[in-house]
Amino acid sequence: MTTTTTGNRWRLGAPDWVRWGFVAFPLIISIPYLTGWWAWALFGVTLVASAPLLPAAPGSRPAWVLPAAMPVVVAAAGALWVLDPNSWMSVAMFSTTFYTLRTFGRALTAVVLVSSAVAIVAWAVVHRLDWLNALALFAILIVMVLLAASRRDRAARLEQTELALARAQTATEEHARAAALAERARIAREVHDVLAHSLAGLALNLQGARLMLVRDGASPEAVAQIERAQKLASDGLSEARKAVAALREDAVPAQRAVADLLAGYRLDTGARADLVVAGEPRDLDAGVTTALVRAVQEALSNTRKHAPGVDVDVTLAFAESHVELTVLDRQGRRPPDAPTAGYGLRGMAERVALLEGKLDSGPGEDGWRIHLTVPA
């Protein structure tokens, strides 16, 4: 298992090595041509600023380091390119510019574009480049902008498609659940109207027969047989009523459903998973119960995916006007910030928003924390 995980991390980190190589390789080639302390200073700045491009373990460095380093790499590589026109430092500048355009926000991309444009203008002026070649360099910059915009649009379309598919699947599941509930209600009506009524009539008739036998002085054995038959009919009626109640039940109590989910997590992982119930438990609306249960399901799913085998603490607090749910996985360290919210967290937020509740999700001091409050 450890070997497989390491292999996956290496494959995920391979593009980072490639991006860093587009900066490091031109730097290595330019070493024989570096003259003067300023050239070596730019060399050092470019090399150090490109270090965040290397793959790193999650949470090993602040999230702001990589975006802050990109303008420095572009500016320093552009300056080295101007100083040494025969070097390959333009590759480092253009590749880092494209990566920034494709990955980061508008403010950072604007800074990087301005830095690249200034480097092109400086190169053209210092080396007396004719206007046609200068336009060709700017054309490269424009092509990169268009390619980056195309990649962003494609990624956005894929995300929208996945979101639409997820919503369609959710709608299908809800329709199937509604159909199942309708069938359960139909069966409950049939059991109540036919079996329960028949058993109730049978019990009453047996009671009347017992009274007649006692009145007519029948043998004790005959009376005992009628009493046993009456008891069986009464027990059958009680069980039929329980079956009707179970069929008409829309959802189990929230605390019991959450406890079942934690029991499944303990069986799957062998880790500790505790539930603390505060306040006085009570029956909740089906929508509130569903939101709470789905939140725990999503939290446990994310824990299995991102921090397998860690302990989990769940607190379910009942107040007069609302219910609070807190799920915390005990990773023993502060997890890294998620780059974007996944579809599970988005669906959870949408479900809570429909109930006019509040959802907070993010890294805590020793693990990932999900806290939601819904009116009840």
Side-chain angles (χ1 to χ4, degrees):
M1 182 65 70
T2 303
T3 304
T4 303
T5 303
T6 304
N8 290 339
R9 287 179 179 175
W10 179 265
R11 286 194 293 271
L12 290 173
D16 296 330
W17 284 103
V18 173
R19 281 189 287 267
W20 182 78
F22 275 109
V23 178
F25 183 71
L27 280 173
I28 294 173
I29 293 179
S30 67
I31 290 178
Y33 306 101
L34 296 177
T35 56
W37 64 268
W38 33 268
W40 284 102
L42 288 173
F43 176 89
V45 169
T46 307
L47 185 62
V48 172
S50 66
L53 286 170
L54 291 169
S60 60
R61 63 188 176 210
W64 58 266
V65 171
L66 180 60
M70 295 301 95
V72 179
V73 173
V74 172
L80 280 175
W81 178 46
V82 173
L83 294 175
D84 184 9
N86 296 320
S87 69
W88 284 22
M89 291 309 299
S90 60
V91 175
M93 184 188 74
F94 283 123
S95 63
T96 307
T97 299
F98 178 71
Y99 171 65
T100 306
L101 293 173
R102 190 171 59 87
T103 307
F104 299 102
R106 294 181 179 179
L108 187 61
T109 56
V111 173
V112 168
L113 280 175
V114 170
S115 300
S116 299
V118 169
I120 292 173
V121 172
W123 199 90
V125 171
V126 171
H127 302 288
R128 301 180 184 278
L129 193 67
D130 60 89
W131 65 272
L132 189 60
N133 287 326
L135 285 179
L137 292 175
F138 277 106
I140 295 175
L141 201 60
I142 294 173
V143 168
M144 286 196 304
V145 172
L146 295 176
L147 287 176
S150 176
R151 290 290 297 271
R152 282 177 175 270
D153 290 342
R154 179 175 177 271
R157 287 195 300 271
L158 287 176
E159 183 177 358
Q160 291 297 325
T161 301
E162 292 177 0
L163 184 59
L165 290 175
R167 288 176 174 171
Q169 183 178 0
T170 301
T172 301
E173 292 174 354
E174 292 295 335
H175 285 309
R177 187 172 185 274
L181 290 175
E183 180 64 14
R184 287 170 57 183
R186 186 191 67 80
I187 295 173
R189 287 194 300 270
E190 294 295 328
V191 171
H192 179 270
D193 295 342
V194 178
L195 180 59
H197 284 177
S198 298
L199 288 173
L202 177 61
L204 289 174
N205 287 334
L206 288 171
Q207 183 180 8
R210 183 181 66 83
L211 293 175
M212 291 174 62
L213 289 175
V214 171
R215 183 197 62 188
D216 295 340
S219 65
E221 293 80 3
V223 174
Q225 290 289 343
I226 294 296
E227 288 177 346
R228 281 194 292 270
Q230 183 185 0
K231 185 177 184 304
L232 288 175
S234 299
D235 292 342
L237 178 61
S238 176
E239 293 299 325
R241 287 172 176 169
K242 290 181 181 179
V244 170
L247 286 171
R248 288 191 176 276
E249 186 179 7
D250 197 7
V252 298
Q255 61 272 21
R256 193 176 82 189
V258 172
D260 291 342
L261 291 175
L262 295 180
Y265 178 81
R266 287 193 294 269
L267 291 175
D268 291 342
T269 64
R272 179 181 61 81
D274 294 334
L275 170 64
V276 175
V277 179
E280 185 66 26
R282 62 181 183 273
D283 292 336
L284 303 172
D285 292 339
V288 174
T289 301
T290 301
L292 296 173
V293 173
R294 294 292 184 267
V296 176
Q297 282 181 329
E298 180 61 25
L300 295 178
S301 176
N302 290 336
T303 300
R304 288 186 176 95
K305 184 186 303 181
H306 302 293
V310 302
D311 297 338
V312 176
D313 288 323
V314 178
T315 302
L316 186 61
F318 292 86
E320 290 185 3
S321 60
H322 63 275
V323 178
E324 295 185 18
L325 174 71
T326 304
V327 184
L328 177 63
D329 54 17
R330 301 289 185 179
Q331 302 182 26
R333 61 179 178 85
R334 183 179 179 85
D337 293 329
T340 56
Y343 296 124
L345 286 176
R346 292 182 186 177
M348 189 192 308
E350 292 173 355
R351 196 183 297 272
V352 172
L354 290 175
L355 297 173
E356 298 182 354
K358 181 181 179 182
L359 171 68
D360 294 318
S361 175
E365 292 300 324
D366 61 343
W368 194 268
R369 179 177 180 272
I370 291 177
H371 178 81
L372 62 90
T373 303
V374 290

